[in-house]
């Protein structure tokens, strides 16, 4: 089987790295921000516009696709790349995290997590084995081990039990993946390449548990490592401290993926700490609620002060929204609850995140500090 997945560090700047992943569906320059395409769509943005924005990899949620249209349906249609007509890279999470955030009546046992669908109340069980079968059938390029995202706050004993469960599930995930990885729908047409399975580090808010989880997950051995259990309500300072202490415990030659992060200034901060991949619903979800990220800070477009503002959303942004439409028009669309408001706001926010990450990569490669980047500040200081 030819090389399915590779990662190369191309330049470093302190702890920060510029790198390149190669997946069965193409190359991904890192650090990279991955837009969330929950049900095989980045809400409101068609695939050709995502390509135009420079999206190299996007995320699909296994929980949602498992419930609708179903894994078998996607498999029969050739996998999620063919299904959503996206020929670049895709990453799926394992589904466990969404069970906790979306479904009722869930129960965790050694076997896995039983739950009722938020759509029709039907009963289901997710396990490491079923999560691998689902992600193989869906056919993303990078898939995630089945883990338990420890809730916040959690006592040390509870956190340790949860960490141990995630480690046992990581072993089971890897065994199931190795046994079935050739069943991915595009195996033959992509040169018998298979997916990459990433492990997930847990350990809650306890530095020594984070260290133990990182070391034992690396011992199991994966082509990439995610840091889970963050963006669960913990203070952002705590996140930063734990990420900074955990990253050095992960292999330098493998990608590090921080799940569910973050604000523009945070993706800069974590890329500088040596994180290579991040995903977050924030840019797309905030856009739909009229919260826009600009080089001058955050902006709530429905604010009355924009009603007669003929200027661009962001004078320093080169996206097609900022080049063509005024703040007054964008405010009017949002106030009128027009679909176009969702599309234009999302286009800009995604463009801002992707451009920010491109600038970070450029700064790492060129060694320049002249690249203007969002500064790390309290997320509650906004320019609205
Ligand atoms: N913020 C987070 C987002 C996520 N999709 C996940 C996940 O999929 N698994 N485990 C996690 O800990 C986790 C945290």
């Amino acid at each position: 089987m030819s090389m399915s997945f590779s990662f190369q560090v191309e330049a470093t700047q302190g702890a920060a790295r510029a790198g390149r992943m190669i997946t069965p569906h193409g190359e991904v320059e890192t650090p990279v921000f991955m837009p969330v395409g929950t049900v095989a769509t980045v809400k409101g943005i068609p695939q050709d516009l995502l390509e135009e924005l420079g999206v190299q990899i996007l995320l699909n949620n296994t929980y949602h696709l498992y419930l609708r249209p179903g894994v078998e349906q996607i498999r029969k249609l050739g996998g999620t790349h063919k299904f959503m007509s996206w020929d670049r890279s895709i990453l799926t999470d394992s589904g466990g995290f969404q069970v906790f955030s979306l479904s009722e009546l869930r129960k965790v046992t050694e076997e896995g997590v039983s739950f009722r669908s938020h759509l029709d109340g039907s009963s289901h069980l997710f396990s490491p084995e079923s999560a691998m079968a689902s992600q193989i059938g869906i056919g993303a390029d990078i898939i995630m081990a089945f883990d338990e995202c420890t809730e916040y706050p959690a006592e040390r004993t509870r956190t340790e039990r949860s960490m141990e469960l995630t480690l046992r599930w990581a072993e089971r995930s890897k065994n199931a993946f190795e046994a079935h990885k050739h069943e991915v729908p595009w195996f033959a047409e992509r040169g018998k390449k298979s997916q990459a399975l990433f492990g997930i580090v847990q350990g809650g808010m306890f530095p020594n548990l984070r260290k133990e989880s990182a070391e034992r997950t690396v011992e199991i051995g994966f082509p990439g490592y995610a840091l889970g259990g963050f963006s669960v309500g913990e203070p952002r300072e705590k996140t930063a401290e734990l990420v900074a202490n955990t990253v050095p415990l992960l292999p330098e030659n493998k990608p590090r993926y921080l799940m569910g992060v973050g604000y523009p200034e945070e993706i800069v901060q974590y890329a500088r700490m040596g994180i290579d991949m991040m995903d977050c619903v924030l840019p797309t979800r905030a856009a739909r609620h009229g919260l826009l990220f600009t080089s001058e800070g955050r902006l709530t477009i429905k604010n009355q002060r924009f009603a007669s503002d003929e200027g661009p959303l962001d004078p320093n942004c080169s996206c097609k929204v900022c080049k063509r439409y005024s703040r007054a028009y964008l405010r009017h669309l949002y106030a009128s609850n027009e679909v176009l408001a969702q599309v234009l706001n999302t286009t800009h926010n995604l463009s801002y995140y992707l451009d920010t990450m491109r600038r970070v990569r450029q700064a790492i490669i060129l060694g320049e500090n002249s690249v203007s980047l969002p500064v790390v500040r309290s997320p509650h200081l906004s320019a609205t």
Side-chain angles (χ1 to χ4, degrees):
M1 187 188 309
S2 53
M3 174 73 83
S4 292
F5 174 84
S6 67
F7 174 68
Q8 193 75 32
V9 174
E10 296 174 322
T12 59
Q13 184 74 233
R17 322 93 78 73
R20 185 178 304 271
M21 294 192 294
I22 299 179
T23 81
H25 284 84
E27 300 197 2
V28 180
E29 293 179 332
T30 63
V32 65
F33 179 79
M34 302 181 284
V36 176
T38 308
V39 291
T41 165
V42 177
K43 295 184 188 321
I45 308 296
Q47 276 64 310
D48 54 337
L49 180 47
L50 291 172
E51 288 164 351
E52 219 177 287
L53 290 173
V55 175
Q56 307 167 80
I57 180 170
L58 56 81
L59 190 141
N60 284 179
N61 289 129
T62 297
Y63 171 84
H64 290 285
L65 293 176
Y66 165 90
L67 290 177
R68 184 170 56 195
V71 172
E72 265 327 291
Q73 186 68 4
I74 296 175
R75 177 202 288 280
K76 278 191 302 199
L77 293 167
T80 188
H81 292 84
K82 280 208 176 109
F83 181 53
M84 67 179 288
S85 184
W86 178 255
D87 200 28
R88 296 182 183 183
S89 297
I90 296 174
L91 178 146
T92 43
D93 56 10
S94 71
F97 183 73
Q98 255 83 34
V99 167
F100 287 96
S101 46
L102 287 172
S103 71
E104 300 296 321
L105 295 177
R106 56 186 179 269
K107 184 169 181 288
V108 180
T109 65
E110 185 66 31
E111 175 61 19
V113 185
S114 53
F115 65 95
R116 284 189 181 280
S117 160
H118 73 290
L119 295 178
D120 61 11
S122 54
S123 297
H124 301 272
L125 170 75
F126 277 180
S127 66
E129 293 75 17
S130 77
M132 294 305 105
S134 295
Q135 293 180 87
I136 290 169
I138 290 168
D141 299 283
I142 300 173
I143 67 175
M144 306 308 292
F146 188 70
D147 69 325
E148 182 180 55
C149 176
T150 312
E151 70 280 3
Y152 176 83
E155 294 295 323
R156 195 190 188 289
T157 47
R158 157 71 191 135
T159 303
E160 188 164 17
R161 269 205 324 275
S162 178
M163 177 195 78
E164 293 287 355
L165 180 63
T166 286
L167 286 163
R168 294 194 296 274
W169 283 356
E171 292 271 11
R172 286 170 53 187
S173 296
K174 184 174 179 181
N175 293 338
F177 173 69
E178 290 302 328
H180 297 282
K181 63 185 179 182
H182 59 284
E183 295 164 14
V184 66
W186 38 258
F187 186 71
E189 72 187 65
R190 293 277 160 172
K192 295 192 174 177
K193 293 179 182 178
S194 66
Q195 299 157 298
L197 171 66
F198 280 19
I200 303 181
V201 175
Q202 291 289 346
M205 303 298 131
F206 299 93
N208 54 358
L209 292 182
R210 282 278 168 187
K211 179 173 186 296
E212 182 177 352
S213 177
E215 289 169 345
R216 291 171 61 184
T217 305
V218 170
E219 216 171 294
I220 296 170
F222 295 95
Y225 297 91
L227 297 181
F230 293 120
S231 292
V232 290
E234 79 281 6
R236 290 203 173 90
E237 302 70 34
K238 193 70 183 162
T239 315
E241 174 204 327
L242 290 163
V243 169
N245 293 337
T246 309
V247 163
L249 302 170
L250 299 175
E252 284 187 1
N253 64 337
K254 296 189 176 174
R256 300 127 174 199
Y257 166 26
L258 180 57
M259 308 181 90
V261 170
Y263 281 91
E265 59 272 18
E266 290 178 314
I267 65 173
V268 173
Q269 178 186 17
Y270 290 118
R272 284 182 165 147
M273 283 186 192
I275 294 292
D276 306 299
M277 306 159 68
M278 285 169 260
D279 85 274
C280 192
V281 293
L282 185 60
T284 41
R285 184 175 292 169
R288 296 195 300 276
H289 292 91
L291 173 62
L292 302 171
F293 298 101
T294 78
S295 56
E296 296 167 346
R298 293 160 207 171
L299 179 159
T300 304
I301 196 63
K302 68 182 179 189
N303 193 306
Q304 179 59 34
R305 67 189 171 111
F306 301 124
S308 309
D309 187 334
E310 296 176 82
L313 187 54
D314 184 342
N316 302 312
C317 178
S318 58
C319 85
K320 59 194 334 184
V321 176
C322 292
K323 289 293 171 208
R324 181 163 188 168
Y325 303 105
S326 69
R327 288 176 173 181
Y329 180 64
L330 294 170
R331 180 182 179 279
H332 162 66
L333 291 178
Y334 187 80
S336 312
N337 203 21
E338 282 295 330
V339 170
L340 187 58
Q342 316 283 316
V343 175
L344 298 182
N345 291 355
T346 303
T347 300
H348 167 75
N349 273 0
L350 277 183
S351 180
Y352 184 73
Y353 266 68
L354 294 165
D355 187 49
T356 296
M357 212 51 124
R358 279 190 288 267
R359 290 164 180 260
V360 170
R361 176 178 163 86
Q362 188 189 30
I364 295 167
I365 291 170
L366 300 180
E368 288 177 4
N369 288 320
S370 60
V371 178
S372 65
L373 295 168
V375 292
V376 181
R377 60 185 172 196
S378 157
H380 306 295
L381 287 179
S382 81
T384 47

